[in-house]
């Protein structure tokens, strides 16, 4: 469980500019905030880009 959470935290941090090198400290609050903001923008873009199937009648 912890390994999966760490993977997701690092993925969000990379969206915020974290380089994820072996010698780097764990991601901080600013990088996480930037990553979450970027993730929200990406999710909104996906919702906008989804194509709704046409409704069929009869």
């Amino acid at each position: 469980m912890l390994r999966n959470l760490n993977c997701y935290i690092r993925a969000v941090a990379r969206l915020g500019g974290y380089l994820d090198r072996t010698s780097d400290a764990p991601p901080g609050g600013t990088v996480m905030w930037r990553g979450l903001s970027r993730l929200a923008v990406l999710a909104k873009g996906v919702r906008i880009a989804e194509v709704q199937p046409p409704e069929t009648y009869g």
Side-chain angles (χ1 to χ4, degrees), residues 26-44:
T30 303
V31 170
M32 292 301 295
W33 183 260
R34 288 180 193 154
L36 287 171
S37 296
R38 176 109 171 126
L39 183 61
V41 169
L42 290 170
K44 190 171 189 174

Side-chain angles (χ1 to χ4, degrees):
M1 174 69 178
L2 187 58
R3 184 169 184 259
N4 291 338
L5 180 60
N6 190 29
C7 178
Y8 288 117
I9 288 173
R10 290 188 181 274
V12 171
R14 282 194 300 267
L15 286 174
Y18 182 66
L19 298 177
D20 200 17
R21 298 176 293 209
T22 55
S23 61
D24 287 344
T30 303
V31 170
M32 292 301 295
W33 183 260
R34 288 180 193 154
L36 287 171
S37 296
R38 176 109 171 126
L39 183 61
V41 169
L42 290 170
K44 190 171 189 174
V46 168
R47 276 188 256 126
I48 290 171
E50 285 180 340
V51 177
Q52 298 296 326
E55 294 184 22
T56 57
Y57 298 99

